[in-house]
Every structure is written in structure tokens, then in C-alpha cells.
Amino acid sequence: MPIDGTLYERLGGDAGIKKLIVKFYGRVLADPYLMPFFANVSVEKLIRMQREFFGAAFDGPITYSGLSLSHAHANRGINSEHFGMFAQHLLTTLEENGVSEEDIRDVIHRIAAYKNDITGEAY
């Protein structure tokens, strides 16, 4: 069965993406294992950059203007376990907000494509 619209549109466009990001980062920043990675980070800037990143990654009319993910995450000590915890918070946020299973799989697949850039692990 064909899916209508882009993933960006199905997630509610800019307003829907912002809502998801605010809830998602509420979870991430409350996680004692992930919170230290965001010490001294402006939450306002983080949310703005993530809106751009998610908007671009989900086929929205957005251009990501931040650093490359490998540069932004270099030497931060982020490993596969941290990435998995991050992805689990994203999954939970999507489920709690009524996102379809198909769109959840698409979101996780697209974010997982950046895992090596974020963790610095070889492909």
C-alpha cells in the first residue's frame, strides 16, 4: 500500500517534528547515562539544530546548517551502547505520540544510518 506524503509531512511537518524533539530530548536529558553528553549545551540551540537535522533527514523542505555529525560528535566518548539508549528514547517517544509502526521503522532506519558518524566507529 503506497504511503502518502514525505515522512516529514506524516510526522506533522515543522510543528510535529518540534513537538517530537522537545519530548524526545526531555527523555534524553533526564537519562543519567546520556545527560553528561549535553552538559554545557544550550537546549534551545540543540532543539533548533535537531529540528533542522530531523527535518532534512525526513525529506522536509529544510536544510541542515550544522557541523557534520562526525565532527560534532568527535572525541565525545559516545559508543554503540549510548547510541542504542538514544535510539530507544526516540522509539518510545514515537510510540507514545501515535506514530505508525511503518513510520517508526523509517525514522529509526534513517537515524541508524548516522550511527558510525556519531560513535566514530568504523563501518
Side-chain angles (χ1 to χ4, degrees):
M1 175 194 301
I3 298 175
D4 292 332
T6 65
L7 181 57
Y8 175 85
E9 292 166 342
R10 293 191 308 275
L11 293 174
D14 187 55
I17 298 285
K18 181 180 179 184
K19 176 183 167 188
L20 288 171
I21 289 170
V22 168
K23 290 182 178 189
F24 169 53
Y25 274 95
R27 290 180 159 286
V28 169
L29 296 173
D31 185 316
Y33 296 104
L34 298 177
M35 182 185 349
F37 293 109
F38 299 93
N40 304 316
V41 172
S42 162
V43 173
E44 181 181 304
K45 181 179 178 183
L46 175 66
I47 289 175
R48 185 179 73 249
M49 296 309 297
Q50 290 302 314
R51 281 173 71 186
E52 282 186 15
F53 175 74
F54 278 59
F58 301 155
D59 302 324
I62 308 291
T63 300
Y64 175 66
S65 65
L67 298 171
S68 71
L69 294 183
S70 58
H71 183 77
H73 296 91
N75 302 315
R76 304 267 324 217
I78 300 169
N79 62 34
S80 290
E81 183 179 359
H82 299 123
F83 186 86
M85 296 163 92
F86 183 86
Q88 183 59 52
H89 286 305
L90 179 57
L91 175 67
T92 301
T93 301
L94 294 167
E95 289 173 341
E96 288 180 351
N97 284 277
V99 175
S100 74
E101 286 185 35
E102 190 165 355
D103 285 343
I104 289 173
R105 281 192 301 274
D106 197 0
V107 167
I108 298 300
H109 175 77
R110 291 180 192 215
I111 297 305
Y114 296 98
K115 177 182 178 266
N116 292 334
D117 292 329
I118 293 167
T119 63
E121 297 172 353
Y123 290 90

